[in-house]
Amino acid sequence: MKNAVKINFEDYLAVAQLYADYSQAVDSGDWDLWPEFFVEDCLYKLIPRENYERGFPLSTLAFDSKGMLKDRVYGIRETLFHDPYYQRHVVGAPLIHQADQNRFESEANYAVFRTKLSQESTVFNVGRYIDVIVRTAEGLKFASRLCVYDSEMIPNSIIYPI
């Protein structure tokens, strides 16, 4: 396990705000917001913990550009057929492992709850984000976001971003 590094309060607050804003955006269902949290040449993966820890590349979802994220948004809206549901993220405080003036390596635990219409809420996905965040002219953005989930059993259709 990496040790957290010391950074100034303003940078820590900006990283924590990025995590909070991301969660609010993906929970809102306004999918056009999601790709805007990333730089153009980004990486987003949803990967099982076992594969991550063993260095295996196989991921449940893998996108390697902002264009691919936008394509996923199109798919969510236009081509993927599924029972609609709401999701709610609960994200722990970020740990900053590496930091310099324009780049942060951080992680945070997350839990995502899913609520299908007329059903009770259930735990949907639990794990940790492993992120590389960069400073841009528009503020902090994800260069890389790995969503490393703990369970070997996941729903057969993950439609919305984690």
Side-chain angles (χ1 to χ4, degrees):
M1 181 175 200
K2 297 178 181 180
N3 292 324
V5 298
K6 293 188 181 209
I7 64 170
N8 68 48
F9 179 74
E10 291 79 20
D11 283 342
Y12 184 81
L13 185 60
V15 169
Q17 189 67 53
L18 178 66
Y19 279 72
D21 291 343
Y22 177 94
S23 295
Q24 191 280 326
V26 296
D27 289 348
S28 76
D30 185 353
W31 304 118
D32 290 327
L33 297 173
W34 178 54
E36 300 310 313
F37 285 91
F38 295 85
V39 297
E40 289 298 325
D41 291 325
C42 63
L43 177 66
Y44 175 91
K45 283 187 175 185
L46 180 62
I47 184 169
R49 180 179 184 165
E50 180 180 20
N51 287 6
Y52 176 78
E53 289 177 351
R54 294 173 128 186
F56 296 159
L58 185 61
S59 302
T60 305
L61 293 174
F63 307 115
D64 62 9
S65 71
K66 190 172 182 178
M68 289 182 79
L69 299 179
K70 289 179 179 180
D71 186 60
R72 181 64 176 194
V73 168
Y74 177 81
I76 290 169
R77 286 203 175 113
E78 304 296 332
T79 64
L80 299 174
F81 296 100
H82 62 90
D83 289 337
Y85 62 90
Y86 301 109
Q87 63 182 22
R88 183 72 50 208
H89 285 68
V90 177
V91 180
L95 297 172
I96 311 296
H97 297 302
Q98 297 288 326
D100 64 31
Q101 186 175 357
N102 294 311
R103 185 174 187 276
F104 305 91
E105 292 180 19
S106 62
E107 74 175 83
N109 295 326
Y110 71 82
V112 180
F113 298 87
R114 177 171 70 175
T115 306
K116 289 188 174 188
L117 304 178
S118 302
Q119 294 182 16
E120 62 187 30
S121 298
T122 59
V123 176
F124 181 60
N125 193 278
V126 175
R128 64 185 168 133
Y129 294 125
I130 300 174
D131 298 313
V132 175
I133 298 167
V134 294
R135 197 181 307 275
T136 72
E138 296 85 33
L140 296 183
K141 303 254 183 185
F142 294 107
S144 172
R145 171 153 265 202
L146 303 180
C147 308
V148 181
Y149 60 87
D150 291 334
S151 177
E152 294 178 12
M153 298 295 292
I154 60 170
N156 62 1
S157 62
I158 294 184
I159 306 298
Y160 305 147
I162 296 294

